[in-house]
Amino acid sequence: MTVERPDHSQVMLSAIQPTNRITLGNYLGAIRNWVKLQAQYQCYFFAVDLHAITVRQDPKQLLEDTYTAIATYLASGINPDECVLFVQSHVAAHSQLAWVLNCFSYMGELNRMTQYKDKSSKSGKNIPVGLFTYPALMAADILLYDTNLVPVGADQKQHIELTRDIALRMNSVYGDDTFVTPEPFIAPSGARVMDLQNPTKKMSKSAENEKGSLFLMDSPKQMQKKIKSSVTDSGSEVTYDDNKPGVKNLIDLQVALTGRTASEVVADYQGKMYGHLKADTADIIVSELEPLQKKVLQYLDDRGELQRILTKGAGAAAEKAAETLKRVYDRIGFVGL
Ligand code: AQP
């Protein structure tokens, strides 16, 4: 099965874990950039449900969150006729290549991953092995599609670098054309949206304090409330300064959503208070997200259409992934059929 798409030779790929609710950080750091870039590349976008189970998930919630992730991609403007849009667990080659890459990854390098350190510190004594080997599965996701470019938020750069290291390691053993080595694409704005309650930490779907994360499907009232109660500092002057991470985050949000520069935004608040900055930032966010929410709900109402899109995407993804997996298996010396 093939999906119609423009004949571009460069491949772009990205994904989000359908864990909990998608945040404004995921939207600005990832999805919105996918939409901007989709016309220039041959694109693969998916929901990584295999990654999601590295922490315990409620089955019903995981199912709903996976549909919602796909509906959000579509509502944001991902075109399923031009891109391959799918769910990770529908393509078995992801797990199969991940095993191979596990055998070429080193404990020391996986141990250094910031995300592993963060998430394992919250897991108590029983840290799932999947949390540790997560980057090998992510490397499989990327390498299966001969990916050139991976648009991600700044937090994922380390995982892309590791993917490159593993690919180069295998290329040196099995030949330079075994894997294409991918590059990260970090957008100039929105790359690191910070937690509203702890602005030195990035905003996350799974943040302990929900008030720190703005979820895409929050009601306008909830969004206004979260921005209004966001942590700033004891000063009062609006300046763009690393020592004022809360204020800087609000300015960055305006920059990402309006396309204006930080100094243009700051100029609006000469002689004004943080309260003005908060109120305007909330309005800008609500006017971006309200129409998006309506579209997400429309897609979620038509499960038949979602299922049709996913079946088509899974077919196209599996076809490409099987080619890469065969190439790797052949080079390793596995007997073919
Ligand atoms: N705060 C952020 N600012 C900008 N970009 C962000 N991304 C995540 N948080 C921010 C980007 O969104 C994509 C989603 O990645 P993911 O779901 O695979 O995992 P993640 O990075 O672990 O995202 P979260 O929101 O922190 O999820 P949980 O809490 O489930 O772990 C990536 O491109 C990421 O860079």
Side-chain angles (χ1 to χ4, degrees):
M1 186 189 292
T2 50
V3 165
E4 279 173 29
R5 57 192 172 221
D7 180 26
H8 299 314
S9 58
Q10 295 275 300
V11 174
M12 181 172 93
L13 168 146
S14 203
I16 288 185
Q17 293 183 73
T19 43
N20 214 326
R21 290 155 289 169
I22 292 178
T23 69
L24 185 61
N26 303 135
Y27 177 68
L28 294 177
I31 304 173
R32 208 183 50 155
N33 298 320
W34 306 351
V35 176
K36 284 186 193 157
L37 293 165
Q38 65 179 334
Q40 300 164 42
Y41 297 90
Q42 182 182 325
C43 295
Y44 293 84
F45 298 121
F46 50 118
V48 285
D49 51 354
L50 296 172
H51 282 282
I53 62 163
T54 51
V55 293
R56 212 50 72 81
Q57 301 294 335
D58 171 72
K60 278 198 188 121
Q61 195 60 48
L62 178 61
L63 195 88
E64 276 317 300
D65 288 344
T66 307
Y67 279 122
T68 306
I70 298 295
T72 306
Y73 298 175
L74 291 163
S76 305
I78 295 297
N79 180 347
D81 295 322
E82 286 190 357
C83 306
V84 181
L85 183 57
F86 65 105
V87 171
Q88 186 186 30
S89 63
H90 289 165
V91 182
H94 288 251
S95 310
Q96 292 169 299
L97 184 63
W99 171 253
V100 174
L101 302 184
N102 266 314
C103 298
F104 285 82
S105 308
Y106 300 141
M107 303 284 284
E109 59 193 0
L110 294 180
N111 219 5
R112 278 197 297 277
M113 295 296 113
T114 309
Q115 192 177 72
Y116 170 68
K117 287 186 201 161
D118 281 355
K119 292 197 174 176
S120 59
S121 67
K122 293 177 198 153
S123 297
K125 265 198 290 180
N126 291 323
I127 301 167
V129 174
L131 207 53
F132 185 66
T133 59
Y134 175 115
L137 178 59
M138 180 164 164
D141 297 340
I142 296 168
L143 298 176
L144 275 174
Y145 299 97
D146 293 338
T147 305
N148 303 99
L149 199 71
V150 189
V152 284
D155 61 312
Q156 288 289 346
K157 190 164 175 258
Q158 203 186 21
H159 288 160
I160 312 293
E161 280 161 3
L162 180 66
T163 300
R164 287 175 60 83
D165 291 344
I166 299 170
L168 290 170
R169 186 172 303 148
M170 287 193 69
N171 284 358
S172 73
V173 179
Y174 298 113
D176 279 347
D177 57 350
T178 306
F179 288 124
V180 170
T181 45
E183 299 285 345
F185 173 84
I186 315 266
S189 72
R192 197 165 164 81
V193 176
M194 307 311 281
D195 187 286
L196 298 172
Q197 289 300 313
N198 183 355
T200 55
K201 267 181 56 187
K202 75 154 190 156
M203 184 181 286
S204 242
K205 288 185 234 98
S206 55
E208 275 155 36
N209 182 356
E210 290 207 349
K211 284 192 202 157
S213 294
L214 235 155
F215 301 110
L216 289 193
M217 299 305 280
D218 278 348
S219 68
K221 237 186 177 162
Q222 282 172 313
M223 293 186 210
Q224 263 142 355
K225 212 170 152 192
K226 284 182 182 177
I227 296 285
K228 198 173 166 197
S229 61
S230 65
V231 167
T232 46
D233 53 73
S234 57
S236 59
E237 203 189 335
V238 176
T239 54
Y240 191 70
D241 185 339
D242 283 340
N243 296 318
K244 290 167 160 281
V247 171
K248 186 166 182 261
N249 193 31
L250 297 176
I251 298 170
D252 278 336
L253 284 172
Q254 288 207 20
V255 168
L257 288 163
T258 63
R260 300 168 76 212
T261 63
S263 33
E264 284 168 345
V265 175
V266 169
D268 287 351
Y269 297 98
Q270 293 312 300
K272 293 189 181 168
M273 314 288 280
Y274 290 168
H276 295 107
L277 173 69
K278 287 182 175 180
D280 291 346
T281 308
D283 286 348
I284 291 168
I285 293 171
V286 168
S287 51
E288 169 94 8
L289 296 189
E290 255 189 325
L292 182 75
Q293 293 181 343
K294 285 203 184 102
K295 287 191 206 155
V296 173
L297 294 175
Q298 279 166 6
Y299 278 108
L300 284 174
D301 261 356
D302 192 349
R303 294 291 160 109
E305 174 64 358
L306 281 183
Q307 214 65 45
R308 189 193 65 74
I309 290 171
L310 290 181
T311 305
K312 179 173 150 190
E319 192 178 298
K320 172 67 190 166
E323 270 173 34
T324 309
L325 189 68
K326 180 168 179 352
R327 181 170 78 230
V328 175
Y329 276 10
D330 285 349
R331 291 184 185 200
I332 288 176
F334 290 167
V335 173
L337 281 177

